[in-house]
Amino acid sequence: MVVIILFLFLSLLGSALFFNNKRVISISILFFFITDGFQIIPLDWMEMGNMKDFAILQSLLIFSVLVIKDKSIISMKLSRVNLGLILFFICLFVIWCVNVAILKVPLKETLISMRTVVLLIAFFFFQKLSEKEILSVKSILLFITTIQCFLFIFQIILQEQILNGFFGGGFTNIGDFKYLRCYNIPYLLPYFFFQVYFTDLVSGKLKTFLRILFLITLLLPMHRAWVLSLFIVSCYGIFLKVNSQKKFLKYMLILAVFLSPAAGFLINKFLFSQKTINDINSIASGSFDDFDYNLDGSSTLFYRFAHLYERLCYISEEKVTLLFGGGWMSENSDLARDLNFFITIYDSEKDINYMVLTPDIAWSMMFFRLGVFGVIVYMFFYGALIWYFYKWRKNLDFAIGTHLFLIFTIFTSFTSIELFTFWPMLLPALDYALSLRHDLKKHSLSAKL
């Protein structure tokens, strides 16, 4: 109880600081909550749940005060990104009405199940930050992410959990070297990986050091889909960066020579391992009804597509659920238990069979919660954001890194849920606000001339 009161006070303090010219500290507090105390606060010892609830509270308070005090936040420039986000919020309201009026999901459960989407209002109040403030926040978060990378590596060496997140991924080996796989990589690392590799966020020896550190941290979990996605998106990033087919082929040749000593290991480990082949054969056969979690639980690729297939079949049974999703009920409710899905995850500690939630694939939950209508509108907003940073890639240095991060999140959405947790969008939201500052500065300069 004391911890909750402390964090509540910190959330209120962060809200107040935003309006007292202490916005860097305010937004840093916001990211502290979003990243579960920068993944360092021992949540289990404190018997704490999701710290993101305090970030939601802080976001709501800041946005609400801005709406009351500063009408410009309502009449701001209606870009395609802003329009996409507004349409998504309208879409969510319609889906919420369907949940309450037609699907009969209790009001409290609807608010609890989809509360993290509130974090997207940061796209609006981040636009009140100055360029200097945004760069200061990013510098702080980069420093914290760097420290987290060291802690991540230390926990593998010590075989003891240090960072919050899923720790026990079993052991893997590279040749004769065997080590513990951990999946609790720093939350903000994927974003900063592309910024360090493809932008001038840092320079000199520090840039080289961070590139090596970040790459090692991302590769250590030996997550097949993440490694493959990282490679594909990086190749695409190199193509955009060099802006020349000849130079691109030159860089690819250098990369091929660099990777050739490890090529055999990577191919056997990720592409043609017996586990991968079995998963692909199972998916190709379409035998999802034969899935047995006790027997096939290690076949993660097969599990993900089977999970998605079962949810799509369910919402397709009625026009209402096909368009607006199966419902925003909570996992421990009677409505969730009545779903009686076959492909689920059982949590022995909480004694809950998760009918909707899964840490393995975002699309399964997106279609179930939002329906086809909601997914289309959400992806319109997301696509507008990707296209926005693509257009800015030559004018703003950070844009290409943000563009690549958003694409990487799409690639990994079949093996993780970040696309549907919404909080990873907040770093691109900072860059979006920064780009608007540059645009405003450019127009001001043109007016003077």
Side-chain angles (χ1 to χ4, degrees):
M1 187 64 183
V2 175
V3 176
I4 293 176
I5 293 174
L6 176 63
F7 287 154
L8 179 60
F9 170 76
L10 189 60
S11 180
L12 296 174
L13 177 64
S15 304
L17 289 173
F18 189 90
F19 300 99
N20 287 276
N21 296 321
K22 302 291 183 182
R23 293 191 179 99
V24 173
I25 300 175
S26 173
I27 303 304
S28 298
I29 291 173
L30 183 70
F31 276 97
F32 170 79
F33 290 128
I34 288 169
T35 58
D36 290 335
F38 297 129
Q39 292 176 260
I40 299 173
I41 300 297
L43 300 182
D44 292 336
W45 297 354
M46 297 179 176
E47 297 183 352
M48 276 293 300
N50 196 338
M51 286 182 66
K52 294 178 181 64
D53 290 335
F54 297 101
I56 294 169
L57 173 62
Q58 184 176 341
S59 299
L60 282 171
L61 288 172
I62 293 173
F63 181 77
S64 299
V65 174
L66 277 175
V67 169
I68 296 170
K69 292 181 61 177
D70 189 356
K71 299 297 188 293
S72 65
I73 198 169
I74 300 175
S75 59
M76 62 177 53
K77 181 182 177 182
L78 198 61
S79 66
R80 185 175 296 180
V81 173
N82 284 343
L83 176 62
L85 183 54
I86 292 169
L87 287 175
F88 182 53
F89 280 130
I90 293 172
C91 170
L92 287 173
F93 177 74
V94 173
I95 297 173
W96 174 76
C97 290
V98 171
N99 270 263
V100 175
I102 300 176
L103 301 180
K104 304 300 180 183
V105 181
L107 176 62
K108 182 181 177 180
E109 291 188 23
T110 63
L111 298 177
I112 291 174
S113 298
M114 289 294 291
R115 66 191 185 278
T116 55
V117 75
V118 171
L119 294 172
L120 291 180
I121 60 176
F123 271 88
F124 299 118
F125 65 77
F126 279 177
Q127 294 179 33
K128 292 298 178 181
L129 300 173
S130 68
E131 180 179 348
K132 183 179 179 181
E133 288 171 334
I134 294 172
L135 293 176
S136 296
V137 170
K138 289 179 67 173
S139 296
I140 292 170
L141 296 178
L142 174 62
F143 174 76
I144 291 170
T145 301
T146 303
I147 300 299
Q148 289 174 321
C149 286
F150 282 112
L151 295 177
F152 178 85
I153 295 171
F154 287 154
Q155 71 179 4
I156 292 176
I157 297 172
L158 300 173
Q159 296 186 18
E160 293 288 341
Q161 183 167 4
I162 299 175
L163 299 177
N164 294 328
F166 182 62
F167 174 70
F171 284 88
T172 190
N173 60 288
I174 302 178
D176 296 329
F177 179 66
K178 188 175 183 180
Y179 69 92
L180 183 67
R181 294 175 70 184
C182 305
Y183 294 119
N184 57 344
I185 64 168
Y187 290 164
L188 307 181
L189 177 58
Y191 168 85
F192 282 114
F193 173 87
F194 291 108
Q195 291 293 329
V196 166
Y197 269 85
F198 293 95
T199 76
D200 295 326
L201 181 64
V202 291
S203 59
K205 293 181 180 179
L206 178 60
K207 186 171 191 171
T208 303
F209 170 74
L210 289 181
R211 281 178 168 179
I212 296 171
L213 177 66
F214 288 179
L215 182 63
I216 290 173
T217 306
L218 280 172
L219 291 181
L220 276 175
M222 284 296 169
H223 194 302
R224 291 176 296 174
W226 275 57
V227 172
L228 184 60
S229 299
L230 202 65
F231 177 75
I232 294 173
V233 176
S234 295
C235 288
Y236 168 65
I238 292 171
F239 178 75
L240 291 181
K241 193 72 175 176
V242 298
N243 200 28
S244 166
Q245 190 172 357
K246 288 184 178 179
K247 285 185 178 180
F248 174 70
L249 292 174
K250 175 185 173 182
Y251 279 110
M252 288 299 99
L253 181 61
I254 295 172
L255 186 63
V257 172
F258 178 74
L259 292 177
S260 59
F265 167 78
L266 293 172
I267 290 172
N268 291 328
K269 189 76 176 176
F270 297 111
L271 298 181
F272 297 112
S273 67
Q274 191 59 48
K275 180 181 176 183
T276 303
I277 292 172
N278 291 340
D279 284 353
I280 293 173
N281 289 336
S282 298
I283 293 168
S285 67
S287 56
F288 298 117
D289 293 337
D290 297 330
F291 182 87
D292 186 334
Y293 189 80
N294 293 324
L295 299 176
D296 303 321
S298 61
S299 301
T300 52
L301 187 62
F302 181 47
Y303 163 78
R304 288 170 182 130
F305 279 89
H307 194 278
L308 175 60
Y309 172 79
E310 188 175 25
R311 274 65 182 169
L312 284 174
C313 286
Y314 175 80
I315 66 170
S316 299
E317 291 176 359
E318 301 285 344
K319 289 183 180 179
V320 172
T321 53
L322 179 63
L323 284 175
F324 304 109
W328 292 0
M329 68 286 291
S330 60
E331 284 290 350
N332 57 356
S333 67
D334 292 334
L335 285 173
R337 284 188 285 270
D338 289 342
L339 293 171
N340 200 29
F341 287 135
F342 187 65
I343 302 167
T344 61
I345 294 179
Y346 178 70
D347 188 336
S348 56
E349 292 184 4
K350 297 182 179 178
D351 191 27
I352 295 177
N353 207 21
Y354 290 102
M355 293 291 167
V356 181
L357 299 180
T358 175
D360 292 310
I361 179 168
W363 294 95
S364 185
M365 292 194 298
M366 283 170 62
F367 276 106
F368 185 86
R369 294 296 200 195
L370 302 177
V372 174
F373 175 58
V375 170
I376 290 174
V377 176
Y378 178 49
M379 294 315 297
F380 170 78
F381 160 65
Y382 198 91
L385 203 58
I386 290 175
W387 177 249
Y388 179 86
F389 286 110
Y390 175 80
K391 289 196 301 180
W392 275 97
R393 72 191 186 283
K394 294 180 181 179
N395 302 97
L396 295 175
D397 177 65
F398 59 83
I400 186 172
T402 311
H403 173 72
L404 295 175
F405 166 71
L406 291 167
I407 293 176
F408 176 78
T409 305
I410 288 282
F411 268 71
T412 55
S413 62
F414 291 94
T415 57
S416 62
I417 58 170
E418 277 71 21
L419 182 65
F420 190 57
T421 55
F422 305 113
W423 64 261
M425 303 281 283
L426 295 200
L427 280 168
L430 277 176
D431 285 335
Y432 178 64
L434 186 57
S435 70
L436 294 180
R437 286 291 173 188
H438 279 271
D439 195 31
L440 183 64
K441 186 186 298 182
K442 184 175 70 173
H443 281 88
S444 298
L445 182 60
S446 299
K448 289 180 180 179
L449 295 174

